[in-house]
Amino acid sequence: MPILEKETTRDPDSQALPKVPVPPLKQTLDTYLKCVQHLVDEEQFKRTKAIVEKFGAPGGTGEVLQKKLLERRDKTINWVYDYWLEDMYLNNRLALTVNSSPVMVFPKQTFRDQADALRYAARLTSGVLEYKSLIDARALPVEFARGQLAGTPLCMEQYYRLFTSYRYPGLKTDKLEVQMNAASSSSSEHIIVARKNQFFVLDVVAKGKQLSEMEIFSQLEKIMAMAENAEERFPPFGVLTSDGRTEWAQARDALTKDQTNRDTLALIESCLCVLCLDEPSGMKPTDTNRALLMLHGGGQEKNGSNRWYDKSMQFVVGMDGICGVVCEHSPFEGVVLVHCSEYLVKYISGSPWKTVSSTSIKALPHPRRLLWKCNAHIQGLFPAAGERLQRLVNNLDMDVFKFKDYGKEFIKKRKMSPDAFIQVALQLAFYKCNRRLVSTYESASIRRFQGGRVDNIRSATAEALAFVRSMTDEKTTFTDQEKMKQLKEAINAQTNYTIGAITGMAIDNHLLGLVRIAKELNMEKPEIFCDETYLASNQFILSTSQVPTTVEMFCCYGPVVPNGYGACYNPQPDHILFCVSSFWESTQTSSAVFVKALNEGLLEIRDLCNSSSAAATRLADSHQGTSQPHKSGK
């Protein structure tokens, strides 16, 4: 099993939710063909169509696999969860840094001095403990869907994995371990504090009582002083967790041969969270630089080794006021990260700092520096891991772009879905840059179901292609009326696919389930899954996600393929924040070029909507004028 839940107590609210459905086979195969037809050439599509029809034929392989998948649904709480978790995360051998772990960038802080930064860190830690106590008490209110099909209750299980998850590296596949009843062992609750690439244990419970904010502050001051002691400094072990997963698994195996290292790893792996106290980066705190520093710490020359990437939540407090959270993505989705982060930011800016006399702080056990044993082999691992991290740092091309001309209010006034509108705008931007559309991923929450995570909204629809061509074709002139019709059709297609996805009727999870069942039955991999169309359709050159926030913060992540873009967006009433990422090494991508095309496209769509509205108003006025009853001059 890829996920181990110790002492599991399933969420009772979740059990009242329906199970994730298995869509009808014919429906999925028809939708798959519709999704890929306009993205491949005619010859290739002809071959793909024949392969798909053979797979879905009566009595064919597809029907056999579908029957087994339906049986699996009956026997399990969530038929796709383990398949999806392994495919999306645990089997991936790339480094978590940039490639997998999203970050939330908190509002920029202005710290007067180090003590100010530590007060912020202590307040943040107190907020974490308060939020965790709400989770442990099952006191978080059940959430209900918003947007499309609003009002449905949502599964809350992801919240219970926020502080209790750890991702262990494996040689071939990782393991996600979740300590579900960590509340019962609260006497040993601790966090790990990283400072100057050293790791310290800070017990947040002493003599059965949770530490106060002032006590946490006092302990952090001690840690800062301990970290200055160069004689006791160990090599930067945290950098090993930024490496490829197989490389880190091999390094961890070498480490665990010594009892000292096993003890240290056990303390890190059982902590609530990691608190990274970063050195000033020396970089101008622009949105783009803050995003980069949160994603990779600036590499080994800056704070890139002052991390432990396997832990689900790492809070970063930079002495220069650059703060945020790095999350290991396998236990939960972005919306859970948002709600936790918003709670913490509000908590931090809440009540004023209480000054307490040092005599009223109870005598606390001293924070402990974590010890390591290092032989020549282990010593040789640090430079190579550091170089690979530096390559990632140098390769990441990030552009955080605030589009200020309008926000979601303008879109809503046009009676369009803001999310669908922005997705179509992203397609237009990509088309402007490449004169083609590509497989696009937009995460769709399936939390309406027990243990639901996500499926994929395939945004590169045939209708989107028709619209972007109408906006860019220099040979054929389309009227505004025709363009507006194409825009509405593209938005409707996107909205309809979204509704299908959030109700468990998308194709990606279903196709994954079928290929995994074939593997379990030791069947030869069906031809549909070896076909070049299927393989290309799962290379998401455009990976997108809407992550809206109600406080001043933003989410970002890296691309998922070497020649791709990551595009995270945060629609606000009067602006839209985009975080566009790509890799410098790819000659096919440029974040700045994409952002320029996105800005142009958003303005062009606005102008189209405005001219269309003006034309409709003129038409209505002229009709009104001609329908006035004629008055005689009596």
Side-chain angles (χ1 to χ4, degrees), residues 1 93 261 385:
M1 291 287 285
R93 301 292 80 204
N261 296 337

Side-chain angles (χ1 to χ4, degrees), residues 25 42 100 115 123 403 415 478 499 537 566:
L25 180 64
E42 212 173 314
S100 176
R123 169 71 55 90
F403 178 75
K415 297 191 166 40
F478 291 84
I499 291 167
S537 78

Side-chain angles (χ1 to χ4, degrees), residues 106 123-129 131 163 313 315 339-349:
F106 285 3
R123 169 71 55 90
L124 173 63
T125 306
S126 284
V128 166
L129 298 177
Y131 195 71
F163 300 107
M313 296 289 270
F315 296 96
H339 287 162
C340 173
S341 299
E342 291 190 341
Y343 181 93
L344 295 173
V345 168
K346 286 172 187 169
Y347 182 94
I348 291 163
S349 58

Side-chain angles (χ1 to χ4, degrees), residues 280-298:
S281 66
M283 291 168 72
K284 196 177 170 196
T286 61
D287 285 352
T288 295
N289 281 342
R290 287 159 61 219
L292 288 167
L293 289 165
M294 213 46 58
L295 280 163
H296 53 51

Side-chain angles (χ1 to χ4, degrees), residues 29 59 123 136 149 151 167 175 197 228 281 313 325 349 368 381 386 394 399 414-415 440 446 455 491 523 613:
L29 297 180
R123 169 71 55 90
D136 291 343
L149 309 184
R167 179 164 165 177
K175 181 178 75 175
N197 307 334
E228 290 303 316
S281 66
M313 296 289 270
V325 57
S349 58
R368 308 183 302 287
L381 299 174
N394 296 341
D399 197 326
R414 299 299 179 283
K415 297 191 166 40
T440 302
I446 49 170
D455 206 332
I491 285 175
M523 287 170 66
S613 295

Side-chain angles (χ1 to χ4, degrees), residues 373-393:
K373 281 283 172 67
C374 199
N375 58 28
H377 167 67
I378 291 165
Q379 194 71 46
L381 299 174
F382 300 111
E387 279 167 28
R388 283 190 285 269
L389 173 61
Q390 203 56 47
R391 207 176 306 147
L392 252 184
V393 170

